[in-house]
Amino acid sequence: MASEVIAQTEEPRVTYLNAGHTVKSWLLTLDHKRIGLLYLFSISVFFAIGGIYASLIRLELITPQGDLMSADTYNRVFTMHGVMMIFFFLIPSIPATLGNFLLPLMLGAKDVAFPRLNLLSWYVFILGGSLMLITIMTGGVDTGWTFYPPYSSIYSNTQVTLAGVSIFITGFSSILTGLNFMVTIHTMRAPGLTWFRLPLFVWAHYATSLIQVLGTPVIAITVLALAFERTLQIGIFDPKLGGDPVLFQHMFWFYSHPAVYIMIIPSMGVVSELIANMTRKKIFGYHFVAFSSLAIAVFGFLVWGHHMFTSSQSMYAGMVFSLITYAVAIPSAIKIFNWTATIFKGSVSYDTPMIYALAFIGLFTVGGMTGLFLAALGLDVHLHDTYFVVAHFHYVMVGGAIIGYLGGLHFWWPKITGRMYPEIWGRISASIIFLGFNLTFFPQFIVGYLGMPRRYHAYVPEFQVWHILSSAGASLLAIGFIMPVVYLTWSLKYGEKVGDNPWMAAGLEWETSSPPPPENFTYQPVINHDAYEFENVKEIKEAAAREAALQTA
Amino acid sequence: MPEQASKFALEVDLFYIALWLMTIFFTVGIVAAIFLFMVKYRRRHDGEIPEQIEGAMTLEILWSVIPFIMALGIFAWGAKIYHEMYTEPKEALEIFVTGKQWMWRAQHPDGQREINTLHIPVGRRVKLTMTSEDVLHAYFIPAFRTKADVVPGRYTTTWFEATKPGTYHLFCAEYCGTQHSGMIGTVTAMEPGEYESWLGGGTKEPPAVAGEKLFSSLACSTCHQADGKGRGPKLVELYGKEVKLNNGSTVTFDDTYIRESVLDPGAKIVENYQLIMPSFRGQVSEEQIAQIIAYLKSIGPKDAGATAAKPAAPAAVKSAAAKPAAVPSAKK
Ligand code: HEM
Ligand SMILES: [Cu+2]
């Protein structure tokens, strides 16, 4: 996809895109920007696969009988949907694409600290992803993405071991990326770029990297233990072999709860950039927003037990986990309030990235608030493992993480490609996504409270109306997601060529050319001001001067 | 709102509605503020730079502390309900439930069994003691707002009190394999009199009685003699008490420990005894273990507190066949 662009752009200027035309120059590149695009392409493929599974799920659930596919097939479908979306799309999404592309640019660096390691991460990711594709082709997995034993360890006769190996391998890609980012942020900042002058996107990625480095090994150990139990009958989780099934849940959620923050914190970083730049305002309470990312990351490790309130864990453990969960909810609330306050008295643009940012705030508020329902012990007993939970996490992960990702992709698209997408289509598709999303997932809160359990292939007829609404919404949502794929691809060739800083945004990445040259800057940037100082943006000054001239004329 | 058919239902629903009101309040507030700002502060011209506001400490503190206090309130409310739900009632009708791919089996105190249905009396506390023969399941009755995982190798309990007669959904809420969505059934709450006559149908034996038979047919009684002179520890009057182990620690003589000792006698050996007991793994089913537990409970102390159950002669036992057998064994 991207190599086409190079063939077309016949500019004399050397950019990272035309610096080499061969396939080899892409596959062996050490340029973080090209690696970002490699990831962009790969995770888009995985997203498409996950999306096809999602459509199958919604299609099956239109009728209560479970008549489209067999129970076994359905179980594989929802498992692969979850696995694809979480491990191969959401976790890598923003860090691996936008993060890879932008971090060095935002830091005024030539590249990340370890470019070879960066390329290796991508290959590891592809290896893991290919194994998962093989898993699918050889029968798939039917355990759910949470892999709870003893079903997964002893009873399921699907490809659990292979899937485990694939996730184990993919985890290394995540660890390596996190490590690389941390070292890069510590050591590669341009002269004058102190910690508190960093864009909030960078803070968010720092916090995310902490989780990736500290949390991922735990899931690796967990799936490894599962594989040992499966293959060698070592009793770790199955009581028949002397193990403890609840132990797995502790180990799994010790990673996977923080992992949900790997998905959302980067998106919060993107939204901070979008809000600041689309309103031309400093983020209200910059320090609070920066530290809230860290707080979420650190405290996120202490709340895993809130997934296990009904698991037979002790009542007092439940209470402690619930209490700590409420403590972590506060930093998220702080962000919402600060973003809203930033818009106050701003110079608000109506462009697509802003629409995404606002959609994020609205949807994430609902997602976060319904988290409070689930953390409320007595209520979670009823809600746990129902569609209410499904709706909650889609509000945060699709309504939060994916919306942020799309907003960021639109915002930095002209930087990445040098061309603009068609703005009108951007706004239309963002609005369709917003509507389709709500129609898909809001009914799930209702049907969940009515008692519809998760992972059901057939259900009692009285729930049907909610599922029909949800499936209708999913069709709309699918259209909303396909549109950007079409017009963004179209824009690679036909999109309007724009200057270096079409949004008149503040930030080092906008000071270099679009697309950037191979080593990012032709000079060494030196920073003498805070993030989001719009008085320093050359394009705004020029526009103001033009306007002044027009008025006097 | 699903039907409200238990004592918890109203409380949980009120809590739920309160949380939605709060959610709507915040969401509408934020969305309204955003719309207002969008319109009022839209970009007027290209070169515009708005006035910059760095932040405000008082506001930050306000909007951290107020949500935190609200969150603590929600926590407390939720914890109160949870405490109620998870504190075992003292006087309860105890029913054993076994989950198995893909069915629910239940056994009533007088021995009546059923599959994928559960009959209970209205207005009486019912406690379920549950375990699984294979994988994780979860017993979920939406109309009662209760749910608890059913875990192999452990006993979990849940309890409820039905408030109105009717038939309600019973779902398995923890994914358990192919027929997970087919592992459903019904809970029928009946007037106590109807329940008694429902129990009267069919032949059955109370679990404690079946357990006593097993205790002798499996030859447990040869070592665990009632006078304490056998090669194994005396089990009479023991249920719910602390037991000293040969490694110096102690363990409560409860359902889980009994089950473990039957399947894996070497795991925790009582002080001053040797490991001579064989494992009964593969010889007894989960249901039979539950029966043995019921028996040991029935010969346990009478005042062992909330966890130790009453002697196995609950008021519900009406069946003539069961009565004589159950009562004497409880008095031993
Ligand atoms: C930061 C954004 C958040 C993300 C990305 C997120 C994501 C998720 C996901 C993926 C699940 C479901 C996991 C599964 O079972 O498959 C989940 C469940 C849960 N979330 Fe969130 N969540 C977020 C915010 C919150 C907040 C703010 C709270 C509470 C204050 C919360 C409380 C819960 C609870 C208690 C559960 C477990 C529910 C249950 O299984 O019964 N979440 N979340
Ligand atoms: Cu089940």
Side-chain angles (χ1 to χ4, degrees):
Chain A
M1 169 169 96
S3 55
E4 234 179 280
V5 191
I6 308 151
Q8 305 298 337
T9 39
E10 250 146 22
E11 293 176 317
R13 192 166 61 76
V14 180
T15 74
Y16 80 102
L17 288 172
N18 63 18
H21 295 272
T22 56
V23 172
K24 196 175 143 209
S25 75
W26 278 87
L27 292 183
L28 295 181
T29 182
L30 299 180
D31 187 330
H32 65 99
K33 300 183 285 306
R34 285 193 168 196
I35 294 174
L37 291 192
L38 291 177
Y39 269 114
L40 178 66
F41 183 74
S42 356
I43 68 164
S44 301
V45 171
F46 291 129
F47 182 55
I49 299 175
I52 292 170
Y53 281 119
S55 322
L56 289 174
I57 294 173
R58 286 312 335 162
L59 216 57
E60 170 67 295
L61 293 179
I62 292 174
T63 57
Q65 299 86 13
D67 35 18
L68 180 69
M69 50 186 124
S70 71
D72 267 324
T73 312
Y74 182 79
N75 296 344
R76 287 166 212 232
V77 167
F78 75 68
T79 303
M80 292 322 298
H81 164 68
V83 168
M84 277 295 159
M85 287 300 197
I86 292 193
F87 295 107
F88 295 93
F89 175 68
L90 277 165
I91 290 180
S93 63
I94 296 178
T97 58
L98 296 174
N100 246 322
F101 195 95
L102 293 166
L103 267 189
L105 285 167
M106 288 183 169
L107 297 175
K110 285 197 167 95
D111 206 317
V112 292
F114 309 114
R116 285 197 170 75
L117 197 66
N118 202 15
L119 182 64
L120 177 68
S121 315
W122 182 70
Y123 275 101
V124 171
F125 178 70
I126 290 300
L127 176 64
S130 314
L131 276 181
M132 192 52 80
L133 294 180
I134 295 175
T135 307
I136 295 178
M137 286 182 287
T138 53
V141 184
D142 72 342
T143 60
W145 77 277
T146 49
F147 296 98
Y148 277 9
Y151 183 70
S152 60
S153 65
I154 301 295
Y155 291 86
S156 171
N157 46 19
T158 54
Q159 295 285 18
V160 181
T161 312
L162 193 55
V165 172
S166 149
I167 287 168
F168 182 80
I169 291 174
T170 311
F172 283 98
S173 154
S174 191
I175 297 174
L176 295 181
T177 305
L179 205 67
N180 215 338
F181 283 4
M182 272 163 82
V183 178
T184 307
I185 296 170
H186 271 278
T187 61
M188 313 267 292
R189 284 171 292 141
L193 188 54
T194 59
W195 281 88
F196 292 118
R197 287 177 174 175
L198 288 175
L200 290 164
F201 182 88
V202 177
W203 275 100
H205 276 74
Y206 189 79
T208 309
S209 303
L210 270 176
I211 307 177
Q212 287 179 304
V213 171
L214 297 177
T216 316
V218 180
I219 190 78
I221 294 167
T222 313
V223 291
L224 209 61
L226 187 67
F228 281 145
E229 176 156 307
R230 254 187 101 74
T231 50
L232 308 174
Q233 311 293 310
I234 296 176
I236 305 169
F237 305 124
D238 185 0
K240 285 218 171 69
L241 304 172
D244 177 2
V246 182
L247 173 66
F248 178 91
Q249 299 180 23
H250 283 289
M251 293 173 72
F252 180 84
W253 288 112
F254 185 82
Y255 165 76
S256 294
H257 185 78
V260 305
Y261 295 120
I262 299 182
M263 305 171 209
I264 198 77
I265 297 176
S267 191
M268 295 168 153
V270 168
V271 170
S272 295
E273 298 297 313
L274 298 187
I275 301 259
N277 283 310
M278 303 316 274
T279 61
R280 298 210 181 131
K281 283 220 18 233
K282 276 194 176 161
I283 291 289
F284 188 90
Y286 169 97
H287 288 80
F288 282 90
V289 177
F291 279 118
S292 65
S293 287
L294 283 183
I296 294 174
V298 172
F299 292 125
F301 277 104
L302 305 177
V303 302
W304 75 89
H306 72 208
H307 297 268
M308 303 166 61
F309 290 150
T310 67
S311 72
S312 84
Q313 136 186 296
S314 92
M315 178 166 72
Y316 297 100
M319 290 190 183
V320 172
F321 280 123
S322 168
L323 189 63
I324 309 176
T325 303
Y326 283 104
V328 219
I330 304 306
S332 308
I334 290 179
K335 289 201 196 240
I336 301 265
F337 293 135
N338 279 296
W339 288 325
T340 312
T342 306
I343 307 174
F344 179 66
K345 290 196 169 173
S347 161
V348 185
S349 139
Y350 286 77
D351 290 331
T352 311
M354 188 64 183
I355 298 180
Y356 275 112
L358 298 180
F360 177 99
I361 298 184
L363 301 179
F364 183 75
T365 304
V366 175
M369 298 286 287
T370 50
L372 301 178
F373 290 54
L374 296 171
L377 291 155
L379 188 51
D380 183 64
V381 170
H382 178 63
L383 294 174
H384 177 67
D385 270 334
T386 65
Y387 264 74
F388 191 95
V389 176
V390 176
H392 157 70
F393 68 73
H394 282 91
Y395 263 83
V396 260
M397 300 201 315
V398 182
I402 297 184
I403 292 286
Y405 171 68
L406 286 175
L409 201 60
H410 282 82
F411 181 62
W412 282 292
W413 193 251
K415 179 53 63 184
I416 296 173
T417 64
R419 290 173 187 267
M420 198 53 147
Y421 59 87
E423 182 56 43
I424 181 73
W425 286 107
R427 293 185 197 176
I428 293 175
S429 79
S431 312
I432 292 183
I433 290 177
F434 183 80
L435 292 177
F437 176 84
N438 281 300
L439 184 56
T440 309
F441 294 106
F442 203 85
Q444 297 186 0
F445 284 125
I446 299 168
V447 77
Y449 197 73
L450 291 176
M452 166 90 193
R454 269 168 104 169
R455 300 171 173 174
Y456 262 34
H457 145 264
Y459 54 87
V460 295
E462 65 243 43
F463 297 150
Q464 186 175 14
V465 51
W466 306 107
H467 283 291
I468 290 180
L469 287 179
S470 186
S471 295
S475 323
L476 203 58
L477 191 57
I479 296 172
F481 281 135
I482 290 169
M483 282 169 59
V485 177
V486 175
Y487 67 71
L488 289 180
T489 313
W490 175 89
S491 79
L492 289 176
K493 199 166 167 190
Y494 305 105
E496 181 197 348
K497 283 194 188 168
V498 286
D500 297 343
N501 188 2
W503 308 112
M504 304 193 195
L508 259 183
E509 78 271 28
W510 300 105
E511 288 177 20
T512 187
S513 47
S514 300
E519 296 205 320
N520 296 348
F521 297 93
T522 45
Y523 54 96
Q524 170 63 62
V526 176
I527 287 80
N528 53 16
H529 57 78
D530 287 349
Y532 319 118
E533 294 278 12
F534 290 92
E535 301 88 64
N536 295 323
V537 177
K538 188 177 88 214
E539 285 78 3
I540 298 183
K541 282 188 205 150
E542 285 167 8
R546 267 200 312 277
E547 281 157 9
L550 267 177
Q551 298 224 317
T552 50
Chain B
M1 243 6 97
E3 212 165 338
Q4 294 176 340
S6 82
K7 284 198 97 161
F8 298 130
L10 181 66
E11 215 176 335
V12 171
D13 286 352
L14 286 178
F15 190 24
Y16 180 70
I17 292 168
L19 288 179
W20 267 120
L21 289 178
M22 186 192 72
T23 304
I24 292 168
F25 175 79
F26 277 101
T27 313
V28 170
I30 285 166
V31 170
I34 288 175
F35 265 104
L36 189 74
F37 298 163
M38 282 284 282
V39 176
K40 194 151 174 224
Y41 304 112
R42 66 178 174 278
R43 188 167 297 167
R44 311 273 166 174
H45 56 95
D46 258 7
E48 186 176 62
I49 299 181
E51 173 202 350
Q52 300 293 314
I53 308 168
E54 300 275 340
M57 194 51 120
T58 20
L59 271 181
E60 299 285 352
I61 291 176
L62 227 61
W63 66 42
S64 316
V65 172
I66 293 176
F68 189 67
I69 293 172
M70 293 180 71
L72 285 185
I74 303 171
F75 161 76
W77 193 349
K80 177 183 159 281
I81 301 178
Y82 188 69
H83 186 82
E84 250 170 79
M85 285 177 167
Y86 275 62
T87 305
E88 288 178 10
K90 289 218 165 72
E91 298 284 344
L93 172 67
E94 188 173 0
I95 300 176
F96 276 103
V97 170
T98 325
K100 184 178 173 341
Q101 284 175 325
W102 288 280
M103 61 163 100
W104 293 111
R105 289 200 299 238
Q107 188 174 18
H108 293 257
D110 80 329
Q112 180 73 270
R113 291 157 191 262
E114 47 184 328
I115 287 181
N116 287 349
T117 55
L118 183 72
H119 288 77
I120 50 162
V122 168
R124 180 140 174 231
R125 291 167 182 194
V126 175
K127 174 183 158 196
L128 305 183
T129 298
M130 309 185 287
T131 192
S132 162
E133 291 205 356
D134 38 45
V135 301
L136 297 171
H137 303 280
Y139 207 84
F140 178 29
I141 312 166
F144 295 174
R145 313 287 187 275
T146 55
K147 175 186 295 116
D149 282 14
V150 176
V151 183
R154 285 191 192 193
Y155 291 96
T156 55
T157 59
T158 183
W159 76 274
F160 42 79
E161 184 178 328
T163 47
K164 63 176 189 187
T167 299
Y168 310 106
H169 288 299
L170 160 63
F171 295 124
C172 175
E174 184 67 76
Y175 178 72
C176 58
T178 311
Q179 288 302 329
H180 167 55
S181 57
M183 193 165 160
I184 64 181
T186 54
V187 175
T188 305
M190 321 158 98
E191 294 298 348
E194 280 176 59
Y195 176 69
E196 297 305 334
S197 48
W198 176 85
L199 281 179
T203 54
K204 65 256 154 172
E205 193 174 43
V209 177
E212 185 175 17
K213 287 190 185 149
L214 282 167
F215 200 71
S216 57
S217 69
L218 293 168
C220 312
S221 50
T222 55
C223 294
H224 299 284
Q225 290 171 11
D227 56 7
K229 292 192 180 130
R231 291 184 297 162
K234 159 181 152 186
L235 304 182
V236 179
E237 300 257 298
L238 194 58
Y239 189 85
K241 290 192 179 160
E242 298 282 310
V243 178
K244 262 216 162 76
L245 301 181
N246 63 358
N247 62 9
S249 61
T250 57
V251 62
T252 310
F253 189 76
D254 60 5
D255 300 5
T256 304
Y257 176 60
I258 296 172
R259 181 177 180 283
E260 180 183 65
S261 302
V262 170
L263 297 176
D264 183 9
K268 298 192 181 92
I269 300 170
V270 179
E271 193 178 29
N272 298 333
Y273 287 91
Q274 308 282 310
L275 172 58
I276 50 171
M277 174 168 163
S279 164
F280 290 86
R281 190 180 294 279
Q283 296 177 48
V284 288
S285 68
E286 288 295 345
E287 252 169 312
Q288 287 172 319
I289 299 176
Q291 289 162 351
I292 293 172
I293 292 170
Y295 166 65
L296 292 177
K297 212 182 254 189
S298 73
I299 59 171
K302 296 216 173 121
D303 53 348
T307 42
K310 313 292 124 211
V317 179
K318 275 272 154 69
S319 146
K323 212 173 204 165
V327 178
S329 68
K331 298 262 158 73
K332 236 184 252 172

mmCIF file of all heavy atoms in Angstrom, chain A residues 456, chain B residues 100-104 135-138 171-177 179-181 183, ligand 2:
data_model
loop_
_atom_site.group_PDB
_atom_site.id
_atom_site.type_symbol
_atom_site.label_atom_id
_atom_site.label_comp_id
_atom_site.label_asym_id
_atom_site.label_seq_id
_atom_site.Cartn_x
_atom_site.Cartn_y
_atom_site.Cartn_z
ATOM 1 N N TYR A 456 -23.091 -16.605 24.912
ATOM 2 C CA TYR A 456 -24.222 -17.483 24.636
ATOM 3 C C TYR A 456 -24.496 -17.492 23.144
ATOM 4 O O TYR A 456 -24.632 -16.453 22.533
ATOM 5 C CB TYR A 456 -25.476 -16.976 25.387
ATOM 6 C CG TYR A 456 -25.720 -17.693 26.689
ATOM 7 C CD1 TYR A 456 -24.647 -18.123 27.458
ATOM 8 C CD2 TYR A 456 -27.005 -17.942 27.146
ATOM 9 C CE1 TYR A 456 -24.869 -18.776 28.660
ATOM 10 C CE2 TYR A 456 -27.226 -18.593 28.349
ATOM 11 C CZ TYR A 456 -26.153 -19.013 29.105
ATOM 12 O OH TYR A 456 -26.368 -19.664 30.282
ATOM 13 N N LYS B 100 -22.101 -29.781 35.956
ATOM 14 C CA LYS B 100 -21.388 -30.774 35.160
ATOM 15 C C LYS B 100 -21.666 -30.374 33.727
ATOM 16 O O LYS B 100 -22.762 -29.909 33.430
ATOM 17 C CB LYS B 100 -21.991 -32.150 35.470
ATOM 18 C CG LYS B 100 -21.325 -33.300 34.807
ATOM 19 C CD LYS B 100 -22.032 -34.570 35.268
ATOM 20 C CE LYS B 100 -21.570 -35.817 34.550
ATOM 21 N NZ LYS B 100 -20.890 -35.660 33.311
ATOM 22 N N GLN B 101 -20.713 -30.548 32.833
ATOM 23 C CA GLN B 101 -20.981 -30.231 31.435
ATOM 24 C C GLN B 101 -22.124 -31.093 30.940
ATOM 25 O O GLN B 101 -21.967 -32.306 30.889
ATOM 26 C CB GLN B 101 -19.774 -30.508 30.561
ATOM 27 C CG GLN B 101 -18.672 -29.467 30.671
ATOM 28 C CD GLN B 101 -17.467 -29.901 29.859
ATOM 29 O OE1 GLN B 101 -17.155 -31.088 29.760
ATOM 30 N NE2 GLN B 101 -16.769 -28.959 29.260
ATOM 31 N N TRP B 102 -23.291 -30.695 30.579
ATOM 32 C CA TRP B 102 -23.825 -29.377 30.667
ATOM 33 C C TRP B 102 -25.158 -29.473 31.340
ATOM 34 O O TRP B 102 -26.200 -29.436 30.704
ATOM 35 C CB TRP B 102 -23.938 -28.795 29.258
ATOM 36 C CG TRP B 102 -22.577 -28.467 28.709
ATOM 37 C CD1 TRP B 102 -21.834 -27.364 28.992
ATOM 38 C CD2 TRP B 102 -21.767 -29.218 27.818
ATOM 39 N NE1 TRP B 102 -20.617 -27.377 28.329
ATOM 40 C CE2 TRP B 102 -20.558 -28.523 27.606
ATOM 41 C CE3 TRP B 102 -21.930 -30.469 27.185
ATOM 42 C CZ2 TRP B 102 -19.535 -29.002 26.781
ATOM 43 C CZ3 TRP B 102 -20.910 -30.937 26.376
ATOM 44 C CH2 TRP B 102 -19.728 -30.199 26.177
ATOM 45 N N MET B 103 -25.135 -29.689 32.621
ATOM 46 C CA MET B 103 -26.385 -29.790 33.374
ATOM 47 C C MET B 103 -26.163 -29.397 34.826
ATOM 48 O O MET B 103 -25.045 -29.340 35.325
ATOM 49 C CB MET B 103 -26.927 -31.214 33.308
ATOM 50 C CG MET B 103 -25.970 -32.209 33.903
ATOM 51 S SD MET B 103 -26.761 -33.752 34.260
ATOM 52 C CE MET B 103 -26.255 -34.722 32.875
ATOM 53 N N TRP B 104 -27.275 -29.073 35.455
ATOM 54 C CA TRP B 104 -27.246 -28.740 36.878
ATOM 55 C C TRP B 104 -27.976 -29.846 37.624
ATOM 56 O O TRP B 104 -29.127 -30.149 37.334
ATOM 57 C CB TRP B 104 -27.989 -27.433 37.134
ATOM 58 C CG TRP B 104 -27.348 -26.231 36.557
ATOM 59 C CD1 TRP B 104 -27.801 -25.473 35.522
ATOM 60 C CD2 TRP B 104 -26.149 -25.618 37.014
ATOM 61 N NE1 TRP B 104 -26.949 -24.427 35.299
ATOM 62 C CE2 TRP B 104 -25.927 -24.494 36.192
ATOM 63 C CE3 TRP B 104 -25.222 -25.898 38.028
ATOM 64 C CZ2 TRP B 104 -24.823 -23.645 36.354
ATOM 65 C CZ3 TRP B 104 -24.130 -25.067 38.179
ATOM 66 C CH2 TRP B 104 -23.937 -23.956 37.360
ATOM 67 N N VAL B 135 -15.515 -28.483 34.908
ATOM 68 C CA VAL B 135 -14.921 -27.161 34.670
ATOM 69 C C VAL B 135 -15.663 -26.120 35.511
ATOM 70 O O VAL B 135 -16.531 -26.449 36.291
ATOM 71 C CB VAL B 135 -15.002 -26.798 33.172
ATOM 72 C CG1 VAL B 135 -14.270 -27.823 32.343
ATOM 73 C CG2 VAL B 135 -16.445 -26.683 32.712
ATOM 74 N N LEU B 136 -15.281 -24.858 35.299
ATOM 75 C CA LEU B 136 -15.974 -23.783 36.011
ATOM 76 C C LEU B 136 -17.365 -23.586 35.422
ATOM 77 O O LEU B 136 -17.543 -23.621 34.209
ATOM 78 C CB LEU B 136 -15.210 -22.466 35.847
ATOM 79 C CG LEU B 136 -13.811 -22.363 36.405
ATOM 80 C CD1 LEU B 136 -13.168 -21.071 35.927
ATOM 81 C CD2 LEU B 136 -13.840 -22.387 37.912
ATOM 82 N N HIS B 137 -18.320 -23.380 36.274
ATOM 83 C CA HIS B 137 -19.653 -22.954 35.859
ATOM 84 C C HIS B 137 -20.039 -21.812 36.783
ATOM 85 O O HIS B 137 -19.306 -21.497 37.724
ATOM 86 C CB HIS B 137 -20.664 -24.094 35.999
ATOM 87 C CG HIS B 137 -20.313 -25.327 35.233
ATOM 88 N ND1 HIS B 137 -20.548 -25.464 33.893
ATOM 89 C CD2 HIS B 137 -19.719 -26.484 35.627
ATOM 90 C CE1 HIS B 137 -20.134 -26.657 33.487
ATOM 91 N NE2 HIS B 137 -19.616 -27.294 34.519
ATOM 92 N N ALA B 138 -21.178 -21.208 36.540
ATOM 93 C CA ALA B 138 -21.674 -20.214 37.496
ATOM 94 C C ALA B 138 -23.188 -20.308 37.550
ATOM 95 O O ALA B 138 -23.845 -20.376 36.521
ATOM 96 C CB ALA B 138 -21.243 -18.806 37.111
ATOM 97 N N PHE B 171 -29.397 -19.680 34.638
ATOM 98 C CA PHE B 171 -28.394 -19.709 33.572
ATOM 99 C C PHE B 171 -27.049 -20.149 34.119
ATOM 100 O O PHE B 171 -26.737 -19.919 35.289
ATOM 101 C CB PHE B 171 -28.191 -18.312 32.975
ATOM 102 C CG PHE B 171 -29.382 -17.750 32.266
ATOM 103 C CD1 PHE B 171 -29.916 -16.522 32.640
ATOM 104 C CD2 PHE B 171 -29.961 -18.428 31.207
ATOM 105 C CE1 PHE B 171 -31.003 -15.980 31.980
ATOM 106 C CE2 PHE B 171 -31.057 -17.894 30.527
ATOM 107 C CZ PHE B 171 -31.579 -16.673 30.909
ATOM 108 N N CYS B 172 -26.234 -20.724 33.241
ATOM 109 C CA CYS B 172 -24.821 -20.886 33.576
ATOM 110 C C CYS B 172 -24.120 -19.645 33.045
ATOM 111 O O CYS B 172 -24.213 -19.333 31.871
ATOM 112 C CB CYS B 172 -24.215 -22.121 32.922
ATOM 113 S SG CYS B 172 -22.436 -22.209 33.226
ATOM 114 N N ALA B 173 -23.436 -18.931 33.927
ATOM 115 C CA ALA B 173 -22.845 -17.659 33.510
ATOM 116 C C ALA B 173 -21.337 -17.741 33.313
ATOM 117 O O ALA B 173 -20.732 -16.761 32.907
ATOM 118 C CB ALA B 173 -23.180 -16.573 34.517
ATOM 119 N N GLU B 174 -20.738 -18.873 33.614
ATOM 120 C CA GLU B 174 -19.287 -18.952 33.375
ATOM 121 C C GLU B 174 -19.080 -19.904 32.215
ATOM 122 O O GLU B 174 -19.531 -21.047 32.256
ATOM 123 C CB GLU B 174 -18.570 -19.452 34.628
ATOM 124 C CG GLU B 174 -17.057 -19.477 34.523
ATOM 125 C CD GLU B 174 -16.447 -18.079 34.427
ATOM 126 O OE1 GLU B 174 -16.369 -17.385 35.458
ATOM 127 O OE2 GLU B 174 -16.075 -17.683 33.303
ATOM 128 N N TYR B 175 -18.379 -19.406 31.207
ATOM 129 C CA TYR B 175 -18.225 -20.194 29.990
ATOM 130 C C TYR B 175 -17.665 -21.583 30.303
ATOM 131 O O TYR B 175 -16.663 -21.716 30.990
ATOM 132 C CB TYR B 175 -17.302 -19.459 29.017
ATOM 133 C CG TYR B 175 -17.069 -20.261 27.774
ATOM 134 C CD1 TYR B 175 -18.085 -20.415 26.838
ATOM 135 C CD2 TYR B 175 -15.860 -20.894 27.549
ATOM 136 C CE1 TYR B 175 -17.901 -21.184 25.720
ATOM 137 C CE2 TYR B 175 -15.652 -21.653 26.421
ATOM 138 C CZ TYR B 175 -16.679 -21.797 25.512
ATOM 139 O OH TYR B 175 -16.494 -22.559 24.398
ATOM 140 N N CYS B 176 -18.322 -22.625 29.763
ATOM 141 C CA CYS B 176 -17.942 -23.970 30.161
ATOM 142 C C CYS B 176 -17.874 -24.940 28.985
ATOM 143 O O CYS B 176 -17.913 -26.145 29.168
ATOM 144 C CB CYS B 176 -18.921 -24.498 31.206
ATOM 145 S SG CYS B 176 -20.615 -24.530 30.629
ATOM 146 N N GLY B 177 -17.810 -24.403 27.756
ATOM 147 C CA GLY B 177 -17.651 -25.314 26.629
ATOM 148 C C GLY B 177 -18.861 -25.320 25.719
ATOM 149 O O GLY B 177 -19.739 -24.463 25.813
ATOM 150 N N GLN B 179 -21.859 -26.604 25.029
ATOM 151 C CA GLN B 179 -23.269 -26.349 25.319
ATOM 152 C C GLN B 179 -23.477 -25.353 26.449
ATOM 153 O O GLN B 179 -24.478 -25.404 27.151
ATOM 154 C CB GLN B 179 -23.976 -27.668 25.655
ATOM 155 C CG GLN B 179 -24.175 -28.566 24.462
ATOM 156 C CD GLN B 179 -24.971 -27.869 23.365
ATOM 157 O OE1 GLN B 179 -25.814 -27.024 23.628
ATOM 158 N NE2 GLN B 179 -24.685 -28.208 22.115
ATOM 159 N N HIS B 180 -22.523 -24.449 26.605
ATOM 160 C CA HIS B 180 -22.636 -23.463 27.675
ATOM 161 C C HIS B 180 -23.993 -22.760 27.624
ATOM 162 O O HIS B 180 -24.668 -22.600 28.647
ATOM 163 C CB HIS B 180 -21.486 -22.456 27.526
ATOM 164 C CG HIS B 180 -21.593 -21.222 28.340
ATOM 165 N ND1 HIS B 180 -21.755 -21.254 29.706
ATOM 166 C CD2 HIS B 180 -21.545 -19.905 28.004
ATOM 167 C CE1 HIS B 180 -21.808 -20.014 30.161
ATOM 168 N NE2 HIS B 180 -21.691 -19.175 29.147
ATOM 169 N N SER B 181 -24.410 -22.364 26.424
ATOM 170 C CA SER B 181 -25.679 -21.629 26.349
ATOM 171 C C SER B 181 -26.879 -22.554 26.506
ATOM 172 O O SER B 181 -28.003 -22.098 26.630
ATOM 173 C CB SER B 181 -25.772 -20.856 25.040
ATOM 174 O OG SER B 181 -25.635 -21.717 23.938
ATOM 175 N N MET B 183 -26.853 -24.770 28.988
ATOM 176 C CA MET B 183 -26.833 -25.188 30.383
ATOM 177 C C MET B 183 -27.754 -24.280 31.190
ATOM 178 O O MET B 183 -27.331 -23.551 32.074
ATOM 179 C CB MET B 183 -25.407 -25.118 30.914
ATOM 180 C CG MET B 183 -25.216 -25.816 32.232
ATOM 181 S SD MET B 183 -23.479 -26.051 32.535
ATOM 182 C CE MET B 183 -23.485 -26.306 34.296
HETATM 183 CU CU CU C 2 -21.424 -23.677 32.366
#
